[in-house]
Amino acid sequence: MPSLCVFGAQWGDEGKGKIIDHLAADVTHVVRYQGGSNAGHTVVVGAEKYVLHLVPSGVLHPGKVNVIANGVAVDPLLLLEEIDGLIARGVAVSSANLRLSARAHVILQHHRRLDALAERWRGEGRIGTTGRGIGPCYADKAARVGLRVCDLLDPARLESGLRVALAEKNALIQSVHGDTPLDLGEQLDLYGRLAERLSSFVGDTGAELRDAHRAGAAILFEAAQGVMLDVDHGTYPYVTSSNTGVDGIPAGVGFPPQWIGRAVGIAKAYCTRVGEGPFPSEEHGPRGAELREAGNEYGATTGRPRRCGWLDVVALRYALELNGATSWIMTNLDVLSGLGDVPVAVAYRREGRRFETFPAELSSLDAVEVEYEHRPGWTEDLTGIRRFEDLPRAARNYVEWVEASVRVPIETLSIGPRRDQVIHRS
Ligand code: IMP
């Protein structure tokens, strides 16, 4: 199997965890390359449910190499908590199956603190971040004042780096935000201890992956969040701070783009979003609440209720095209059972103009009216079906109609949270 990237083609929470877990069976390596513990990938194995934030989903398959590459913003405290939690549940995690890039940037306590404080400062314009310090960590990376995993492992660099960082961040925390400063001694002690525990996992993961590729490895690049949250291509500024599609791989891994193979998008049969920002096909009425309950749409990382709405073909076509997706996987089709007719956003209208392409400026999105097409619904439970031909006719028609509208084939349907609840299409 050639290497491939699996990315979210909506606003995150498309069900990537389950699909990546499913595909991981056929690869040798699973690589996270952007984002951080803002992600929450849910995987159900038998009666056990795992929510992974930083550790790649391949960890649940014995014998796979899981890599946290340089593009990930790594919170060492949360990473070690996650590793300990997995080991406590009988999942093997060691330097043989988990690798951490020495070049990855580290999320420190002041990043988390400043994430929350900046949100307060933004007031009405708040982004609704996960509060995990993602934005401030990537900002420091771009400003060239961040600390990397390799700095954490070097006591002298850790000391000087933290001293300089806290001098500035504490001034900001105190003078601008009026909050209590962080103590350098305590922080040094904490990160010194964490570094010791993390050291066995650390290496030059880019070089390891390039070597593996040359030796014939099949690498699965596991994106977090979704393309509509991409810092360059999403609904800026209501986005996360990384490149969430295939675009994040070359820089976030140290892997040539021409080696990636193929890109597979994941999208739900409807749409959700957490946090603030434009969501043209959001359903504000009781049907939105019905979707939320039917799909159990609550954030895996923050527990926040997700905003729910209908599939948006304009946004999905954009996300698939941008990433050169050769196929995609539709998840949560089962959730639409019994919800009546199924509206789908097919175009936006503004000032008498009709668009079928996704606009760049937020102002256009705020003011758009959405044109819906209503597709016939179905009532049957889909969760036990394993062949496309056995789906109710209306469900099959829905899938085929969406596929024709986005002009990219659907290779697999997911119809429940368990590993086996998938329908492959030839
Ligand atoms: P941040 O990534 O915590 O800075 O949050 C920025 C925006 O991305 C917010 O709207 C978050 O709700 C959203 N976001 C971040 N991670 C995820 C995710 O894994 N799923 C869905 N939304 C996310």
Side-chain angles (χ1 to χ4, degrees), residues 16-25 43 45 57 60-61 419:
K16 293 183 289 295
K18 170 187 160 168
I19 299 297
I20 289 159
D21 169 69
H22 181 73
L23 294 170
V43 183
V45 184
S57 307
L60 302 172
H61 289 266
R419 269 181 177 170

Side-chain angles (χ1 to χ4, degrees), residues 49-199:
K49 177 174 161 182
Y50 300 88
V51 181
L52 300 162
H53 298 286
L54 274 164
V55 175
S57 307
V59 76
L60 302 172
H61 289 266
K64 309 294 172 189
V65 180
N66 297 278
V67 178
I68 301 175
N70 61 280
V72 178
V74 178
D75 186 326
L77 199 58
L78 296 183
L79 176 57
L80 281 165
E81 259 177 44
E82 194 168 327
I83 292 172
D84 289 343
L86 286 166
I87 292 173
R89 293 177 70 181
V91 178
V93 186
S94 72
S95 56
N97 71 341
L98 180 66
R99 311 290 302 144
L100 170 62
S101 171
R103 292 188 173 89
H105 276 253
V106 173
I107 295 186
L108 299 156
Q109 297 287 306
H110 56 262
H111 293 126
R112 296 187 62 139
R113 183 81 76 80
L114 286 166
D115 195 359
L117 291 169
E119 280 284 80
R120 261 201 261 156
W121 199 258
R122 286 184 197 115
E124 285 286 293
R126 72 186 185 283
I127 296 166
T129 73
T130 58
R132 298 290 176 100
I134 304 294
C137 175
Y138 280 119
D140 279 358
K141 173 178 176 175
R144 297 154 298 172
V145 294
L147 264 81
R148 303 189 297 170
V149 167
C150 53
D151 302 320
L152 213 59
L153 301 190
D154 175 339
R157 288 184 79 92
L158 175 62
E159 218 265 5
S160 64
L162 254 182
R163 185 178 294 283
V164 172
L166 281 188
E168 188 206 341
K169 305 302 179 193
N170 274 340
L172 195 61
I173 288 170
Q174 278 181 291
S175 312
V176 176
H177 297 288
D179 210 39
T180 45
L182 292 157
D183 181 77
L184 176 64
E186 271 175 28
Q187 299 296 302
L188 273 174
D189 187 45
L190 170 67
Y191 289 104
R193 274 187 286 118
L194 297 176
E196 239 176 76
R197 288 205 52 212
L198 278 180
S199 62

Side-chain angles (χ1 to χ4, degrees), residues 24 138 223 226 232 247 279 333 346 380 391:
Y138 280 119
D232 283 285
D247 50 352
F279 180 3
L333 182 65
V346 291
E380 295 88 338
L391 284 171

